[in-house]
Amino acid sequence: MRKYSLITYSLIILLIIAGCSAKSNKTYIAEQLKIKMPKALNIEYADDHGGFHGDGKRFAKIEFDNNSGLNIISQIENSDRWNKMPLTENLSLIMYGGTKNNVEYVSEFAEKFGIPEIENGYWYFNDRHSKSTNPESDTELFDRYSLNFTLSMYNADNNTLYFFELDT
């Protein structure tokens, strides 16, 4: 009986420690984008990291009401890391596919995650590759054999934030 009590107490302590240290998905995204995340109406989240060397994709779609949407836009407009749409050519190729220098880029990311082409909004990019010389620039994306980046897009027309990470 004493053995079972010790095991039970140990499991309870482990659960408490794990619960106190785990970050929410919303908190993780806010930290990556360097914004304070207001209350969301809806959050869709998927993460398939865990492959070889942590390879995978992380995606979130976060919908806000009008007040929270204005809060996000205010933070974005006061940040030097966010840019007004449209995406750069490289980021558009990564997300939606297309042709550049007679090379066809087939990409299913936007289609797979239901990300529309956004006209009225903003985008954030961080090149997390170990060989990146400028994390804010996408100019080196196609010069390497692997991709490690974060791309977020905010649709100002419907107050929706799309967050995408790719690690290959």
Side-chain angles (χ1 to χ4, degrees):
M1 181 69 172
R2 186 174 173 183
K3 181 179 175 182
Y4 293 113
S5 295
L6 181 60
I7 291 172
T8 302
Y9 289 127
S10 297
L11 286 174
I12 290 171
I13 290 171
L14 284 173
L15 289 173
I16 290 171
I17 292 170
C20 292
S21 64
K23 285 185 188 175
S24 74
N25 299 327
K26 200 167 109 173
T27 301
Y28 174 81
I29 293 167
E31 288 174 357
Q32 298 307 302
L33 302 179
K34 298 165 183 50
I35 60 173
K36 293 179 182 169
M37 195 72 70
K39 184 178 179 188
L41 293 174
N42 186 41
I43 300 174
E44 296 175 26
Y45 183 83
D47 186 355
D48 68 2
H49 280 83
F52 189 65
H53 294 293
D55 291 356
K57 296 174 285 299
R58 179 183 326 235
F59 169 77
K61 175 183 176 183
I62 306 174
E63 299 170 322
F64 300 97
D65 65 20
N66 287 334
N67 287 336
S68 294
L70 291 173
N71 178 311
I72 291 281
I73 289 174
S74 175
Q75 292 182 67
I76 286 171
E77 290 177 343
N78 288 309
S79 170
D80 60 351
R81 291 296 308 272
W82 286 82
N83 305 280
K84 253 187 129 19
M85 286 293 186
L87 292 172
T88 64
E89 181 181 24
N90 284 348
L91 295 179
S92 185
L93 289 170
I94 288 283
M95 293 307 292
Y96 302 101
T99 303
K100 178 181 179 180
N101 299 329
N102 294 321
V103 175
E104 183 75 25
Y105 293 88
V106 179
S107 178
E108 81 288 350
F109 298 133
E111 184 177 331
K112 177 180 180 181
F113 293 112
I115 303 172
E117 290 199 40
I118 300 169
E119 293 180 20
N120 181 26
Y122 303 87
W123 59 271
Y124 169 96
F125 176 77
N126 184 28
D127 186 355
R128 297 178 289 103
H129 196 280
S130 61
K131 297 197 187 298
S132 172
T133 58
N134 182 2
E136 296 179 26
S137 173
D138 66 5
T139 56
E140 300 173 325
L141 271 181
F142 298 121
D143 297 339
R144 301 183 290 248
Y145 295 108
S146 63
L147 299 169
N148 296 72
F149 68 84
T150 300
L151 174 63
S152 190
M153 297 177 282
Y154 185 78
N155 188 335
D157 289 334
N158 64 8
N159 302 315
T160 302
L161 177 73
Y162 299 93
F163 178 85
F164 182 69
E165 279 185 349
L166 179 64
D167 296 298
T168 63

